[in-house]
Amino acid sequence: MVNINELPENILLELFTHVPARQLLCNCRLVCSLWRDLIDVVTLWKRKSLQDGFITEDWEEPVEDWKIFYFLCSLQRNLLRNPCAEENMESWRLDYNGGDEWKVESLPGAHGTNFPDPRVKKYFVTSYGMCLKSQVVDLKAEGYWEELMDTFRPDIVIKDWFAPRADCGCTYHIRVQLASADYIILASFEPPPVTIEQWNDATWKEVSHTFSDYPPGVRHILFQHGGQDTQFWKGWYGPRVTNSSIIISHRTAKNPAPARPPPEDALVMGGRHPSLDAEIHPLVDFL
């Protein structure tokens, strides 16, 4: 009988390209030193990336670690559930549900415009009282292990879309925070509220932010958005939101993050960050 290790290395590499990545690392890599060394070869992960459609033959973008690149690409997806209201309010926590409360409507809606992506059919709409909803993403449960987040720190890309009604002014809010396992806030994106005047063009606007080179220890992402109308009209005249996303990019930090303790005034479970002691602080309530 012929021992599999007697095969030329290029044949072994070709065989490994057809083995699921997790099995390569958790099982195959432990068989022997030859398999370990071959599985660590850059060429293998380049081939797997090409085979799975993560790159093309003419790919020129530099990649620092092809193995990590492959896993990030295989995990990449929108981590927010029900972002386009197809499942009504499922998966969202209603932190503030003022006025006539949150509602789901179909595009384009009264005095509205079509969404840039025709695949998006619905949106969430707010009322005359403050309406805020949120989700908490558990990164470990989504497959992002601790070393990946702490050492390689892939970019975390946040996007959201909102639009007013043409006949009513509104104010839109968004807040996204990166938190530790104990919900200590390590990084935050909270731009000033956006107010749109009455009699506008009702166009959809995109809000985006990329977290890069954040501190180690990120285990959760807290996402919250919403708003209210400025006319205080009964019904659903506040900002409309849809197509929200949290995506972990394949881009990683070039230098390891320095280990450092969180700031003393960071938000801790059961506590409250001073900057959140304002009119709107429901993220504190569900920690």
Side-chain angles (χ1 to χ4, degrees):
M1 295 180 64
V2 177
N3 188 311
I4 190 174
N5 285 359
E6 295 178 15
L7 291 172
E9 290 187 358
N10 64 319
I11 300 299
L12 280 175
L13 278 175
E14 180 61 28
L15 291 174
F16 288 153
T17 62
H18 301 283
V19 178
R22 289 187 180 276
Q23 290 186 25
L24 282 176
L25 295 184
C26 297
N27 300 318
C28 299
R29 195 175 181 277
L30 306 180
V31 170
C32 63
S33 59
L34 173 63
W35 284 29
R36 180 199 62 204
D37 293 343
L38 286 177
I39 289 170
D40 287 344
V41 168
V42 167
T43 304
L44 171 63
W45 298 98
K46 278 187 177 181
R47 288 185 184 179
K48 289 185 71 65
S49 296
L50 182 62
Q51 175 183 277
D52 289 0
F54 300 150
I55 63 172
T56 58
E57 292 282 1
D58 58 352
W59 179 272
E60 295 182 353
E61 183 178 335
V63 174
E64 186 174 358
D65 188 310
W66 278 95
K67 187 188 302 180
I68 294 300
F69 173 89
Y70 177 86
F71 274 97
L72 286 173
C73 289
S74 64
L75 288 169
Q76 189 167 301
R77 65 198 184 281
N78 187 358
L79 299 179
L80 288 178
R81 303 182 188 279
N82 188 28
C84 300
E86 293 295 340
E87 302 171 53
N88 199 27
M89 301 303 300
E90 190 72 24
S91 301
W92 291 96
R93 170 176 170 135
L94 304 184
D95 303 315
Y96 276 64
N97 206 15
D100 286 322
E101 304 182 345
W102 281 96
K103 184 184 179 184
V104 170
E105 294 180 347
S106 297
L107 282 153
H111 296 274
T113 57
N114 286 316
F115 193 78
D117 185 343
R119 294 173 297 179
V120 178
K121 305 295 185 183
K122 296 183 179 181
Y123 58 82
F124 305 94
V125 61
T126 59
S127 189
Y128 61 85
M130 180 57 68
C131 293
L132 294 171
K133 62 184 179 69
S134 60
Q135 285 190 40
V136 178
V137 175
D138 183 333
L139 291 172
K140 186 175 181 179
E142 297 292 345
Y144 294 90
W145 61 96
E146 294 180 358
E147 182 185 3
L148 178 66
M149 298 307 300
D150 293 349
T151 302
F152 296 96
R153 289 170 296 139
D155 284 358
I156 300 174
V157 182
I158 311 298
K159 292 186 178 181
D160 196 25
W161 288 81
F162 73 96
R165 284 176 58 119
D167 60 344
C168 186
C170 68
T171 300
Y172 162 83
H173 298 258
I174 183 172
R175 175 169 58 182
V176 186
Q177 297 173 316
L178 308 185
S180 68
D182 295 327
Y183 295 95
I184 298 172
I185 300 304
L186 302 176
S188 183
F189 169 65
E190 187 174 5
V194 178
T195 298
I196 299 177
E197 299 299 327
Q198 188 180 20
W199 307 120
N200 55 78
D201 58 10
T203 57
W204 285 91
K205 299 170 176 58
E206 182 183 44
V207 177
S208 64
H209 177 75
T210 299
F211 290 99
S212 300
D213 295 335
Y214 42 83
V218 173
R219 301 292 179 266
H220 299 94
I221 304 175
L222 318 177
F223 180 99
Q224 181 190 67
H225 66 173
Q228 65 185 114
D229 78 55
T230 56
Q231 307 301 117
F232 206 72
W233 288 349
K234 181 173 177 59
W236 297 273
Y237 291 83
R240 301 160 173 187
V241 294
T242 193
N243 204 38
S244 313
S245 63
I246 297 175
I247 295 177
I248 309 293
S249 170
H250 64 267
R251 297 178 181 274
T252 59
K254 292 184 178 180
N255 301 306
R260 64 184 185 190
E264 294 182 359
D265 62 347
L267 173 63
V268 186
M269 182 182 295
R272 179 172 297 165
H273 191 290
S275 67
L276 301 182
D277 283 334
E279 178 183 359
I280 303 168
H281 46 74
L283 276 178
V284 177
D285 300 334
F286 65 66
L287 297 182

